[in-house]
Amino acid sequence: MTDYKISAKGVQVYYGDTHAIKDVDVDIEDKTVTAFIGPSGCGKSTFLRTLNRMNDTIDICRVQGDIRIDGEDIYDSAVDPVQLRAKVGMVFQKPNPFPKSIYDNVAYGPKIHGLARNKAELDEIVESSLRKAALWTEAKDRLNAPGTGLSGGQQQRLCIARAIATAPEVLLMDEPCSALDPIATAQVEELIDELRQSFSVVIVTHSMQQAARVSQKTAFFHLGNLVEYGETDKIFTNPEDPRTESYISGRIG
Amino acid sequence: MSLILIVSIVIALAVIGYVLGVQRAVSSADGDQRILHSLKGYYGQNVALTVLVPSLLVLAIWAIAQPLLIDQSVSGLLNLEDSRAQSLAMADVRRVAEGLDTAIAQGALTSDAAANMDAETTDVRDLLGDIGVAVGSDVTPETLNAAQRYRGLSNTGSWARGFVVLAIALAGFAFALSRITKDFRARNIVERGVLVLLIAAASVAVLTTIGIVLSLIFNTINFLQAYPAADFFFGTRWEPSFSGRGGSSELGFLPLIWGTMFISIISLIVAVPLGLFSAIYLSEYASPRVRSIAKPMLEILAGIPTIVYGLFALLTVGPLLVSAFGQGGFFGVDWMSGGTAAMTAGLVMGIMLIPFVSSLSDDIINAVPQAMRDGSYGLGATQSETIRQVIIPAALPGIVGAILLAASRAIGETMIVVLGAGAAASLSLNPFEAMTTVTAKIVSQLTGDGEFNSPETMVAFALGMTLFVITLCLNVFALYIVRKYREQYD
Ligand SMILES: Nc1ncnc2c1ncn2[C@@H]1O[C@H](COP(=O)(O)OP(=O)(O)OP(=O)(O)O)[C@@H](O)[C@H]1O
Ligand SMILES: [Mg+2]
């Protein structure tokens, strides 16, 4: 069991009376890309947010079940959600840059976690994060311009740069490519592949091709249930559940 | 014809016009409402508006013009040179005329008797006194004569008014009804009528503002002709004399603006941190239950009349401060001799401004999108890091606006200063000394019995004008900051 980076058992999530996630068991391996697919509203974002306790900020949201990262129960009262989130980074479905300069957006995480000893190191982190997120060539001349002044796709890449600058062990990405053009998408996918060398990545996507390209494992969600979870190749070529099959061939969703 | 009667007849005409307009429109389409250009209600509204708007407009203009014209024609009879004596005499004339009206209404006089009464043979003052109308002095023949003429003109005027207004209403009624056919574009005309009404409403506010500003400007110019501008703007002493002997008043503006600024700054030092912190607590930390209790409580604080704060300053805060900073007080220092001081007024004003700052800032902080907070929490930031580095910067333009608005209020505040700060105009640096402000002095200059054309009273306009210019600059500055910040981060 400790082989797994994240292991979730019997997870239930409620928004008030709405039962959004129903008894989900998932084991996510280290140094792997795991894709969550499923029709809109099936609970992919919700489940992703339980993995770094972002649901704590929603008053009406209740989470039950057992979620362990590196064998440690993250919903234990001894766990500090702030530390957890530094370890489990997140890129949100909608780009949400801070109303600060591009530089300050990326430097935000390293600064609050004290990752840089001096300005030069910080510059270094900012540059390498922006390079990895395929934003450096566009942003290098305007590092002091506000991040909110970028285009939607650039903002999304800025948020990716911001998340990897904190050097998380797990990166949760909620539809990171939904606003990107094919070139930027290819660059982000390359980045994901590179990140896999050192961390595990969980990515939510609506693109079957993308899931097939970047992930090793795929989980198919439907109406709050985890219908099928396994090797990406197997899910896309030989799904066990008829619902999975009709979803990937375009019949539900 | 009385005003109420005229207005009710016009309104009745409008209602009848509405009903007839609708009927006529329907019958012009042979009962098939679909071929009408507009919905049938618009035809009725068109008639009603054509009846109401021109006639009521004429009525309003008449109501302003008639007294002016009558005054002019009657005051010609009095033949007085001095304009002050003239206006006093006109007040008497109006009073006597009113008295005669009352007498007729009560049956003490017939209208003929009132019109032919002679001041030589009747004691008009006695007669009016009997029916409860007090006249200041004996009524001279000229006054009575003028009053009789005044009544006559008013009577004719109000008949003419009724006649003209009703004629216009009837003409509108007939004209609008006659135009109705099934293709008549009633909806477009009603739309335009509504637009005109809205513009009229907006211009009332704008024109009033312009009027107030102009009157301030002209009176300030008058004052500056009677009193040297340099002495007013740069004088360091404020010592008005009400004796009227002239020449002995010193009307220097500096001590007053100093007091205003001093007290405002003390109040902002109190209000801004407390207000901002409570806004942050309420919007970021408080549970919905606490918030639902605490926010209305703060808003009640905003609803307390300032005179109550003034009493609080005078009776509670002042003595408390004296017992702390006065002779033999808690701190063993002798800084404060009386309860009224800049500090007293500043502290209380600060408390008054807390809900102002906090409630505006709270709204602004709440308007920062949740996605911004999520982004910060998602990077492992704590709550206070998120607030300091993301939420406050995002909300800053609004918060600056709230603070400048609070500053405008502090500068314009009067009652707390009158009761809490004392009346001595001084250029002192000691916050425990009595001080006064521009607004408090405007009050005290106008509550004496000074004549209303001496520099000592006219100075009120100059003070008001300067205050207005200062708050205006503050507001423009606030707008500038907000806009500059918006450009950067929107
Ligand atoms: N903050 C919230 N409050 C109440 N209900 C919510 C909230 N967020 C999500 N839900 C509900 O939970 C369910 C799952 O939503 P979720 O956002 O996880 O879907 P999703 O799979 O990410 O969809 P999409 O692909 O459109 O992003 C939906 O029925 C949604 O209405
Ligand atoms: Mg989603």
Side-chain angles (χ1 to χ4, degrees):
Chain A
M1 182 185 132
T2 39
D3 307 351
Y4 297 118
K5 186 72 184 171
I6 303 174
S7 116
K9 294 239 175 323
V11 177
Q12 316 272 357
V13 182
Y14 301 87
Y15 291 110
D17 293 331
T18 324
H19 197 171
I21 293 289
K22 297 163 191 156
D23 197 20
V24 168
D25 297 336
V26 168
D27 291 318
I28 290 170
E29 290 162 30
D30 201 6
K31 307 202 162 104
T32 330
V33 178
T34 307
F36 287 178
I37 59 170
S40 187
C42 67
K44 306 178 297 289
S45 301
T46 301
F47 187 71
L48 203 65
R49 291 164 62 95
T50 58
L51 300 181
N52 66 346
R53 292 187 57 174
M54 278 306 289
N55 284 329
D56 291 12
T57 60
I58 300 173
D59 285 329
I60 55 167
C61 185
R62 274 183 304 125
V63 178
Q64 290 166 2
D66 182 67
I67 300 176
R68 289 170 186 277
I69 294 186
D70 293 332
E72 188 188 19
D73 181 0
I74 60 167
Y75 282 85
D76 193 89
S77 57
V79 168
D80 179 6
V82 170
Q83 250 171 353
L84 171 74
R85 291 180 198 136
K87 188 162 120 178
V88 184
M90 182 155 200
V91 176
F92 293 84
Q93 186 163 359
K94 281 193 218 118
N96 54 353
F98 302 133
K100 296 171 178 291
S101 69
I102 294 176
Y103 183 94
D104 287 340
N105 261 284
V106 183
Y108 184 83
K111 269 190 197 158
I112 55 179
H113 298 299
L115 299 184
R117 259 165 301 163
N118 51 40
K119 177 85 168 86
E121 275 189 25
L122 192 61
D123 289 349
E124 172 71 41
I125 295 178
V126 170
E127 181 177 341
S128 71
S129 308
L130 284 171
R131 271 188 201 286
K132 285 185 197 157
L135 191 60
W136 177 249
T137 40
E138 286 147 274
K140 66 171 185 288
D141 297 325
R142 48 192 288 205
L143 287 177
N144 291 317
T148 40
L150 295 170
S151 79
Q154 289 171 328
Q155 290 188 8
Q156 188 60 289
R157 277 176 280 156
L158 179 63
C159 293
I160 294 174
R162 190 174 73 180
I164 55 186
T166 331
E169 295 173 23
V170 178
L171 188 60
L172 309 174
M173 303 177 104
D174 198 347
E175 297 183 35
C177 299
S178 56
L180 301 190
D181 62 63
I183 298 171
T185 304
Q187 281 165 323
V188 170
E189 287 177 5
E190 218 169 274
L191 165 73
I192 293 172
D193 213 44
E194 198 180 300
L195 292 175
R196 182 164 68 93
Q197 311 307 318
S198 31
F199 332 123
S200 50
V201 177
V202 183
I203 176 172
V204 172
T205 176
H206 280 293
S207 153
M208 300 302 126
Q209 290 86 346
Q210 183 170 55
R213 278 195 302 265
V214 298
S215 70
Q216 288 76 52
K217 293 274 195 148
T218 297
F220 171 63
F221 286 82
H222 185 61
L223 300 175
N225 296 301
L226 177 62
V227 174
E228 193 164 349
Y229 175 55
E231 298 293 329
T232 300
D233 288 346
K234 178 158 181 304
I235 297 254
F236 279 98
T237 51
N238 189 14
E240 271 167 20
D241 197 288
R243 285 171 292 177
T244 319
E245 203 205 327
S246 38
Y247 180 71
I248 14 190
S249 56
R251 268 174 278 142
I252 14 173
Chain B
M1 218 186 284
S2 81
L3 198 62
I4 295 179
L5 186 63
I6 298 177
V7 174
S8 7
I9 293 178
V10 171
I11 290 178
L13 263 179
V15 172
I16 297 169
Y18 180 87
V19 174
L20 288 184
V22 170
Q23 275 173 7
R24 205 180 143 96
V26 173
S27 69
S28 83
D30 297 326
D32 183 3
Q33 293 182 18
R34 282 170 307 172
I35 64 168
L36 284 175
H37 170 270
S38 317
L39 287 176
K40 59 181 180 176
Y42 282 112
Y43 291 90
Q45 285 172 30
N46 177 39
V47 179
L49 282 176
T50 320
V51 171
L52 284 178
V53 174
S55 56
L56 293 185
L57 203 67
V58 168
L59 191 62
I61 294 172
W62 198 295
I64 297 169
Q66 175 173 320
L68 289 181
L69 290 175
I70 292 181
D71 267 19
Q72 208 166 34
S73 116
V74 171
S75 63
L77 288 180
L78 295 170
N79 254 334
L80 290 167
E81 295 292 316
D82 183 7
S83 70
R84 272 178 52 74
Q86 181 93 353
S87 70
L88 284 179
M90 272 312 292
D92 268 354
V93 169
R94 255 176 253 130
R95 196 140 180 82
V96 171
E98 240 170 67
L100 291 178
D101 283 342
T102 324
I104 293 169
Q106 292 184 354
L109 278 176
T110 62
S111 34
D112 276 351
N116 301 324
M117 191 189 292
D118 189 343
E120 308 280 339
T121 52
T122 345
D123 188 343
V124 181
R125 187 179 179 192
D126 247 19
L127 194 142
L128 293 181
D130 285 345
I131 56 160
V133 177
V135 180
S137 57
D138 272 337
V139 177
T140 61
E142 288 82 33
T143 311
L144 182 64
N145 198 357
Q148 282 163 340
R149 167 124 193 170
Y150 184 92
R151 285 197 58 232
L153 285 175
S154 301
N155 248 329
T156 332
S158 70
W159 276 108
R161 177 181 69 185
F163 183 74
V164 170
V165 169
L166 290 186
I168 292 174
L170 274 174
F173 182 85
F175 174 68
L177 268 184
S178 73
R179 282 215 294 175
I180 293 179
T181 63
K182 69 180 173 21
D183 294 323
F184 180 61
R185 306 187 163 210
R187 180 170 48 195
N188 308 28
I189 292 182
V190 170
E191 271 321 295
R192 220 168 304 145
V194 169
L195 178 70
V196 170
L197 279 180
L198 295 181
I199 290 177
S203 29
V204 169
V206 173
L207 290 178
T208 316
T209 314
I210 293 177
I212 290 176
V213 172
L214 284 182
S215 111
L216 269 181
I217 291 177
F218 285 126
N219 284 298
T220 304
I221 292 174
N222 270 349
F223 164 73
L224 291 178
Q225 278 162 355
Y227 191 87
D231 289 1
F232 172 68
F233 285 112
F234 304 111
T236 55
R237 280 147 59 88
W238 176 269
E239 281 157 14
S241 103
F242 280 112
S243 61
R245 260 165 274 142
S248 55
S249 285
E250 293 232 34
L251 301 174
F253 174 66
L254 287 182
L256 302 189
I257 192 71
W258 172 254
T260 299
M261 291 300 157
F262 203 154
I263 293 175
S264 301
I265 287 172
I266 294 177
S267 72
L268 289 179
I269 290 175
V270 174
V272 170
L274 287 178
L276 209 53
F277 290 167
S278 65
I280 290 173
Y281 170 70
L282 281 181
S283 59
E284 295 295 314
Y285 290 91
S287 68
R289 232 174 65 85
V290 172
R291 195 180 143 83
S292 72
I293 297 170
K295 194 155 172 164
M297 294 270 273
L298 266 176
E299 263 144 29
I300 288 175
L301 206 58
I304 297 176
T306 56
I307 184 76
V308 176
Y309 282 106
L311 290 176
F312 174 60
L314 185 69
L315 301 176
T316 314
V317 177
L320 208 69
L321 284 176
V322 172
S323 71
F325 297 101
Q327 195 172 15
F330 182 74
F331 290 108
V333 289
D334 184 13
W335 290 344
M336 197 167 172
S337 49
T340 52
M343 196 57 143
T344 315
L347 283 181
V348 174
M349 210 191 277
I351 293 168
M352 176 193 87
L353 292 177
I354 291 174
F356 209 70
V357 175
S358 82
S359 145
L360 280 174
S361 311
D362 178 57
D363 292 345
I364 292 155
I365 291 175
N366 267 323
V368 174
Q370 179 64 30
M372 216 75 102
R373 296 182 178 87
D374 285 350
S376 175
Y377 293 139
L379 291 170
T382 63
Q383 198 160 12
S384 76
E385 282 164 347
T386 304
I387 291 166
R388 255 182 297 134
Q389 303 190 28
V390 175
I391 295 176
I392 298 287
L396 198 63
I399 292 176
V400 170
I403 291 173
L404 288 176
L405 231 55
S408 293
R409 278 209 63 178
I411 289 172
E413 174 49 42
T414 314
M415 273 344 286
I416 295 177
V417 185
V418 169
L419 292 177
S426 82
L427 267 173
S428 159
L429 270 174
N430 180 358
F432 297 102
E433 214 166 86
M435 230 174 251
T436 195
T437 65
V438 177
T439 49
K441 277 302 155 197
I442 295 180
V443 172
S444 65
Q445 288 315 99
L446 296 186
T447 41
D449 334 312
E451 291 172 14
F452 211 70
N453 44 17
S454 65
E456 285 80 13
T457 48
M458 299 280 282
V459 72
F461 287 107
L463 292 176
M465 184 74 206
T466 334
L467 209 56
F468 171 68
V469 170
I470 292 173
T471 33
L472 189 71
C473 290
L474 216 56
N475 288 348
V476 170
F477 182 59
L479 274 183
Y480 167 76
I481 288 192
V482 169
R483 200 160 300 156
K484 192 172 158 185
Y485 200 95
R486 285 255 162 85
E487 266 167 24
Q488 225 176 352
Y489 286 127
D490 243 9

